Amino acid sequence: MTLAELQDLNSLPFFELLKRAHAVHEANFPDGKIQLCTLLSIKTGGCSEDCAYCTQSARYETDLQNQRLLSKEAVMESARAARENGSTRFCMGAAWRGVRGGTDRFNQVVDIIRDVSTLGMEVCVTLGELGPAEAVMLKEAGVTAYNHNLDTSPEHYPNIVTTHTYEDRLRTIRNVQDAGMAVCCGGILGISETITDRLRLLEVISSFNPQPESVPINSLMPMPGTPLAGNAQVDPFDLIRMIACARIAVPAAKVRLSAGRTRLSDETQALCFFAGANSIFYGDKLLTADNPEAGKDRELLAKLGLETLEPNPALDVPVKNSELPASPACATASCC
Ligand code: SAM
Ligand code: DTB
Ligand code: SF4
């Protein structure tokens, strides 16, 4: 979708936008089930990058306790617990700029992935920048989806991160697609962006060929010590509108209502689900930040009569449209 189309959509009256998004949601996900995903930080803090929202950057003075790469046993214990609690996707995050094949840490991660992939959940990892060879190795080890967010528009990105570029992020996404992994790519609201920046992000993401398999929409969890610690909370109506626009722009993707749910009312979350969100992170911790307790989420889903999705480890990777250009690029941006 173009920016102009997205702007028209986003300026519809609230209920008209919700009605349209819900119709797209029902057409693509007739069972209306919600996917539960569990996150685990397998290597925490000490990251070389300067993403202004992130408590894991080594550049900011935060209270975060750094943690070296977890042992395979520790990761497997969390993964088994996640499966027992009903998660169908296990997402492992590492605070690295990227990974390089042949290094000890990459080999250790590959070893962990091989074992986690035997548990019957979708396996998602987010390890930063990847080259083509690393992407193939991760795919072979059993990764189903790779999370690499573009976070905001190409225009706003340099205000938030200076140690890598939007084009670096797009290159990794291309490598992930070429290796046959599904792409999980979304953004974060509340990082001093404009509504246009949010819609530009959707313009870029919706132009991927194939479109991403999932689109996480995070709301800033302000982390003390980071440059964005004092940012105001996102207006819940704007978040719901963003979810609705994401649902319409990337109709077949799981739209994941991601970080920031501890600050949302049940009613706001309900409207997000109606607008097309069909996946959440489940469990009381994200990577370093808080998430609602599992019991509270179960209560909310029960109150709404929403069922959860069964496991689908053989996740189908979205198929390329051969009539469109193959690689993601930010068509109208001057950055790439
Ligand atoms: N290092 C990897 C990378 O940069 O892709 C993976 C980890 S990073 C924490 C993954 C995503 O989490 C970011 O792209 C951002 O969207 C989200 N995120 C990080 N810190 C956040 C915060 N304080 N509040 C909300 N979302 C956050
Ligand atoms: C995503 O888009 N959100 C998750 C996952 N992908 C890796 C991470 C949210 C992190 C929130 C801040 C924290 O826990 O430090
Ligand atoms: Fe590092 Fe990722 Fe945090 Fe950026 S978002 S500082 S790359 S862990």
Side-chain angles (χ1 to χ4, degrees):
M1 284 182 86
T2 63
L3 177 62
E5 288 168 332
L6 284 156
Q7 282 171 326
D8 286 348
L9 205 54
N10 194 55
S11 42
L12 286 172
F14 185 69
F15 287 122
E16 180 60 29
L17 173 58
L18 251 62
K19 239 170 44 188
R20 291 200 197 179
H22 191 70
V24 173
H25 190 192
E26 280 190 319
N28 286 275
F29 296 92
D31 66 13
K33 292 186 178 175
I34 304 289
Q35 183 178 41
L36 303 181
C37 311
T38 294
L39 258 180
L40 177 68
S41 181
I42 58 170
K43 186 267 174 184
T44 306
C47 183
S48 62
E49 303 308 282
D50 68 353
C51 311
Y53 49 75
C54 187
T55 192
Q56 302 204 67
S57 167
R59 298 170 189 246
Y60 313 129
E61 269 193 40
T62 70
D63 294 337
L64 185 70
Q65 189 77 41
N66 291 355
Q67 165 77 59
R68 295 158 69 96
L69 183 60
L70 294 180
S71 68
K72 185 165 73 176
E73 291 66 34
V75 176
M76 286 298 282
E77 197 178 314
S78 299
R80 282 196 201 93
R83 187 179 59 175
E84 269 155 36
N85 288 332
S87 281
T88 65
R89 182 162 169 131
F90 191 66
C91 309
M92 293 169 275
W96 286 321
R97 179 195 165 94
V99 284
R100 193 152 303 147
T103 57
D104 283 351
R105 74 183 190 196
F106 187 70
N107 293 340
Q108 282 171 41
V109 171
V110 165
D111 189 38
I112 291 171
I113 291 166
R114 276 208 196 93
D115 279 22
V116 171
S117 69
T118 62
L119 297 179
M121 291 179 287
E122 293 170 12
V123 180
C124 176
V125 289
T126 178
L127 313 170
E129 211 167 287
L130 288 186
E134 288 78 12
V136 169
M137 286 187 265
L138 292 178
K139 164 75 184 166
E140 284 173 0
V143 170
T144 32
Y146 195 83
N147 169 239
H148 204 62
N149 292 343
L150 287 173
D151 280 330
T152 188
S153 68
E155 294 77 19
H156 187 48
Y157 198 74
N159 302 325
I160 298 299
V161 183
T162 68
T163 47
H164 56 256
T165 65
Y166 212 72
E167 178 57 31
D168 292 332
R169 302 291 284 184
L170 288 167
R171 195 176 314 109
T172 291
I173 292 166
R174 267 177 234 133
N175 292 333
V176 168
Q177 290 184 328
D178 290 348
M181 285 182 284
V183 169
C184 168
C185 180
I188 170 169
L189 313 189
I191 54 171
S192 315
E193 77 286 3
T194 62
I195 302 282
T196 306
D197 290 314
R198 294 177 191 169
L199 301 177
R200 274 285 280 141
L201 169 71
L202 290 181
E203 181 187 39
V204 175
I205 287 177
S206 69
S207 76
F208 289 6
N209 183 13
Q211 288 198 329
E213 166 271 338
S214 51
V215 179
I217 304 293
N218 298 279
S219 301
L220 178 72
M221 294 286 284
M223 305 308 260
T226 62
L228 303 184
N231 273 26
Q233 188 175 353
V234 175
D235 180 335
F237 287 103
D238 289 344
L239 167 64
I240 299 162
R241 281 181 178 276
M242 180 70 177
I243 298 272
C245 289
R247 167 52 61 221
I248 294 169
V250 196
K254 296 254 173 42
V255 174
R256 189 165 300 113
L257 180 59
S258 300
R261 288 194 304 114
T262 48
R263 308 205 299 170
L264 299 181
S265 68
D266 284 359
E267 293 81 353
T268 296
Q269 293 189 66
L271 284 172
C272 288
F273 294 134
F274 187 82
N278 57 351
S279 173
I280 53 171
F281 288 118
Y282 182 63
D284 58 7
K285 193 77 174 270
L286 293 163
L287 292 172
T288 71
D290 291 341
N291 199 40
E293 281 167 20
K296 201 163 176 281
D297 277 341
R298 274 197 300 271
E299 246 172 58
L300 174 61
L301 294 176
K303 223 189 271 182
L304 299 174
L306 288 172
E307 289 178 28
T308 55
L309 199 68
E310 317 59 40
N312 172 32
L315 175 74
D316 292 328
V317 173
V319 184
K320 210 177 259 186
N321 179 343
S322 51
E323 285 166 24
L324 295 173
S327 303
C330 31
T332 55
S334 51
C335 71
C336 342

